[in-house]
Amino acid sequence: MCLAVPAEVIRIADGVATCRLGEGQSLIRASLMLLPDLPSPGDQLMVHAGFALRIMDPAEAEETLRLLRGGECPIEGDATACAAIPGAPANALRKA
Amino acid sequence: MHQTLLRQFRDPELCHTLLTRLRAELDGELRFMEVCGTHTVAIFQSGLRSLLPPQVVHLSGPGCPVCVTHESEVNAFLDLAGRPGVIVATFGDLMRVPGSRGRNLKSAQAEGARVAVVYSPPDALALARDNPGDTVVFLGVGFETTAPTVAGTVLMAREQGLSNFKVLAFHKLVPPALEVLLSDTEAGIDAFILPGHVSAVIGTEPYGFIASRFGKSATVTGFEPVDILESLLFLAQRRRQGRAEVKNLYRRVVSDTSNPRALEVMNRVFRPCDALWRGLGRIPDSGLEFTDEFEDVDAKRRYGLSIEECPPLPGCKCGEVLRGRLRPDQCPLFKKACTPAKPVGPCMVSTEGSCAAYYKYQVE
């Protein structure tokens, strides 16, 4: 029951977003009452139990993937630890 | 965000690289507990559990809302169901969770109680609108992810003038339960993977005590294999360094600060109170009760329901499983007296329960 799902905003009316669920064609409605900022069509929301809880940030997702694919290390300021990991560059430090 | 971007968090090649790095990082046993039921299922469903190095010991925590709903609270649901003029509205997972006398909402329904399964609290509100001669009582369980959605629905009910919508609220808060787990040395938990969507509401700041007071590391984590492996790598690194830190590795959804609007709504409708947890007992300030402004919505007051603490079900080890002291397959009832078709305890009932996950994925 505690399953939040990603859903893409299709349209917004009266504080409710109609969203496409995941990769399918199913549509769900999500109240925007719990969001501090209003989303726009095309935004991806994290929806739980009929309410949007967050607008997802694609730039953060891309940054995470870029760092991990570059063999970068999630330890800030610890070049020694990074160097000890096969394939990880010693100067690769994840941003805080 | 395009789905193609999200799919990259399941990239097998990247998972393989992270697994190699994790193996290189481990310098002994890493006993990690994932708190959230959705993580439990994700770890099994993706096949990750069978790929993890043997030094990585996986414990499932009390993060399935159905599993931690106390027998006494289920007894209150059953007390309410069947009362004249009452329609109980609930998430489907609660239907088969047994109370202290082995009865559940499904059996109450078979005996004539009006019990409706809904997918969201606003669905229960629609039920109240469609049945003006009855009172619809929504069973409010779940953590900081769900409590704001129930609080939001209470505000909607007031706005729409629906006085026949009530809530029987047994919501629970995650950080106080973590304190209990960290104080229990028997499970030997080294690190936590924290619930991603609870954190989407409360942020990461409330978890600081895990490192500062208990010297353990924890990550806020997404639900894809890459997310989980990145977290395990981080936790192994911190352990090898002898350092403790709480880290947000789910930045595409969670920020270090809370979702202020969701907390504002939750804190207007509810205030903290002591709560009973299945397996963990009574924990101070770990539950939510209605504020005075919304006491008219409180089904506990409206129907004079008493929540009397009752003993656990005979033979059921769900409490030990939820604390990480016992693996599901170490319970004498597992796959014998207790199966998904005939569950004895809630960890086998819920799809997010660790016993159900062990059963479904046939972990040896």
Side-chain angles (χ1 to χ4, degrees):
Chain A
M1 57 152 286
C2 202
L3 297 172
V5 291
E8 184 186 342
V9 178
I10 306 296
R11 59 180 174 272
I12 295 171
D14 300 327
V16 175
T18 302
C19 308
R20 179 180 293 117
L21 189 59
E23 295 177 66
Q25 292 305 309
S26 304
L27 297 181
I28 58 170
R29 284 158 57 83
S31 166
L32 304 176
M33 179 199 283
L34 301 178
L35 286 182
D37 305 302
L38 277 184
S40 306
D43 280 346
Q44 196 87 18
L45 303 179
M46 189 52 70
V47 176
H48 172 61
F51 290 80
L53 292 177
R54 287 274 187 180
I55 304 171
M56 294 172 73
D57 185 344
E60 285 289 356
E62 282 167 5
E63 175 74 353
T64 299
L65 289 165
R66 189 187 68 76
L67 289 168
L68 288 173
R69 290 213 166 98
E72 297 194 20
C73 171
I75 301 175
E76 301 93 351
D78 192 342
T80 312
C82 289
I85 300 168
N91 61 349
L93 304 178
R94 187 190 173 94
K95 74 172 185 180
Chain B
M1 190 182 325
H2 295 300
Q3 290 297 320
T4 47
L5 181 57
L6 289 178
R7 266 205 300 274
Q8 292 179 54
F9 284 87
R10 298 169 206 162
D11 177 4
E13 198 176 319
L14 184 52
C15 287
H16 178 74
T17 305
L18 290 168
L19 268 168
T20 305
R21 290 170 62 182
L22 175 61
R23 283 192 198 97
E25 193 65 39
L26 287 166
D27 61 352
E29 200 173 72
L30 175 71
R31 293 171 66 82
F32 82 98
M33 173 176 276
E34 104 286 323
V35 179
C36 173
T38 312
H39 276 135
T40 309
V41 173
I43 289 168
F44 282 108
Q45 203 167 35
S46 62
L48 260 189
R49 197 178 187 285
S50 57
L51 295 174
L52 292 176
Q55 302 100 309
V56 177
V57 178
H58 168 207
L59 308 166
S60 289
C64 157
V66 172
C67 302
V68 298
T69 300
H70 198 271
E71 293 92 335
S72 312
E73 296 173 334
V74 179
N75 286 349
F77 297 157
L78 293 166
D79 181 3
L80 181 69
R83 291 200 180 199
V86 170
I87 301 172
V88 166
T90 176
F91 291 124
D93 307 41
L94 275 179
M95 288 294 283
R96 294 195 305 142
V97 180
S100 66
R101 292 176 291 278
R103 287 179 71 238
N104 58 30
L105 284 167
K106 203 170 172 62
S107 51
Q109 190 182 41
E111 291 158 14
R114 296 165 76 190
V115 183
V117 172
V118 294
Y119 293 100
S120 70
D123 288 349
L125 201 59
L127 200 63
R129 199 179 303 118
D130 294 342
N131 293 274
D134 297 304
T135 300
V136 170
V137 182
F138 181 72
L139 305 182
V141 300
F143 303 106
E144 292 94 330
T145 328
T146 313
T149 71
V150 174
T153 308
V154 168
L155 295 185
M156 287 176 179
R158 180 160 287 189
E159 196 179 294
Q160 295 170 23
L162 286 169
S163 58
N164 66 329
F165 175 77
K166 311 285 179 198
V167 177
L168 181 49
F170 292 121
H171 293 291
K172 294 181 173 58
L173 304 173
V174 168
L178 294 176
E179 282 199 60
V180 171
L181 291 168
L182 283 159
S183 305
D184 176 2
T185 51
E186 203 174 310
I189 303 164
D190 293 317
F192 285 100
I193 287 185
L194 297 166
H197 297 136
V198 164
S199 310
V201 172
I202 67 174
T204 57
E205 285 161 359
Y207 301 122
F209 71 93
I210 298 171
S212 62
R213 278 179 42 213
F214 292 95
K216 308 284 184 188
S217 289
T219 59
V220 171
T221 305
F223 297 88
E224 302 297 345
V226 165
D227 293 316
I228 292 161
L229 286 168
E230 183 191 19
S231 283
L232 289 175
L233 177 59
F234 176 84
L235 295 171
Q237 285 168 340
R238 282 293 179 266
R239 185 177 159 80
R240 187 180 53 71
Q241 294 175 315
R243 293 169 59 194
E245 189 183 348
V246 177
K247 180 81 174 169
N248 178 11
L249 295 176
Y250 194 26
R251 301 183 79 89
R252 64 185 186 273
V253 172
V254 175
S255 62
D256 292 339
T257 54
S258 66
N259 172 343
R261 179 69 187 140
L263 278 190
E264 180 192 327
V265 169
M266 186 174 93
N267 292 332
R268 183 177 164 200
V269 175
F270 296 119
R271 65 183 168 217
C273 65
D274 295 354
L276 280 171
W277 294 60
R278 195 180 294 240
L280 302 183
R282 188 178 294 277
I283 305 177
D285 290 332
S286 69
L288 293 172
E289 64 182 5
F290 281 97
T291 55
D292 295 341
E293 186 187 350
F294 292 95
E295 63 179 27
D296 60 308
V297 187
D298 186 355
K300 253 177 258 174
R301 294 186 204 195
R302 165 71 178 82
Y303 294 100
L305 298 171
S306 61
I307 315 303
E308 287 166 19
E309 192 166 348
C310 57
L313 295 161
C316 177
K317 302 283 186 195
C318 280
E320 300 293 291
V321 170
L322 293 169
R323 281 177 176 266
R325 290 177 176 176
L326 199 72
R327 283 198 326 264
D329 58 342
Q330 292 172 325
C331 171
L333 305 184
F334 181 74
K335 285 175 89 170
K336 297 183 182 84
C338 186
T339 64
K342 214 173 171 185
V344 174
C347 295
M348 188 62 92
V349 172
S350 170
T351 51
E352 297 162 52
S354 47
C355 295
Y358 263 71
Y359 187 96
K360 183 172 180 184
Y361 297 101
Q362 298 295 314
V363 175
E364 298 302 330

